[in-house]
Amino acid sequence: EPEEPLWVQATEELEFWCTDRWVDIWSGAAVVRPRDGTAAAMVRAALLPGSNVNFPQITQICDRVASEPQELGGAVSLLVGALRDRYADFRRKL
């Protein structure tokens, strides 16, 4: 009889509860989705479960930040949040 795996396939809902984002919501921190087309929105799309990031997407984010430097903070905040989240899926951090 095959053994059951020790891990559970991550779903979008499970991933949310295994992050620090729910703590931010619970504590009353403003959780605002980035405006479409911004560097932060592009980073958010790249970090979504099931997303496969390629070189043109990275270039697009960099070009956006180069043309709109005020968007850098929002994009970096999303990246830092994903990297520091100890419960985030390893694929998400890559």
Side-chain angles (χ1 to χ4, degrees):
E1 176 176 331
E3 290 184 31
E4 289 188 35
L6 298 176
W7 62 90
V8 176
Q9 182 67 31
T11 63
E12 189 171 342
E13 182 179 331
L14 177 62
E15 183 175 326
F16 171 77
W17 290 109
C18 292
T19 67
D20 294 332
R21 289 179 291 179
W22 74 269
V23 175
D24 292 339
I25 293 169
W26 178 78
S27 67
V31 179
V32 179
R33 198 170 169 171
R35 250 186 14 242
D36 288 342
T38 62
M42 291 180 215
V43 169
R44 181 184 176 277
L47 293 172
L48 288 173
S51 176
N52 291 312
V53 180
N54 56 35
F55 187 75
Q57 285 173 292
I58 294 169
T59 301
Q60 184 181 19
I61 293 167
C62 292
D63 288 345
R64 177 65 187 198
V65 169
S67 67
E68 302 292 336
Q70 71 276 10
E71 294 180 10
L72 179 62
V76 169
S77 291
L78 287 171
L79 285 171
V80 169
L83 291 172
R84 74 178 253 283
D85 190 344
R86 64 180 177 203
Y87 298 108
D89 182 32
F90 185 67
R91 269 185 48 85
R92 181 175 184 188
K93 293 180 180 186
L94 291 177

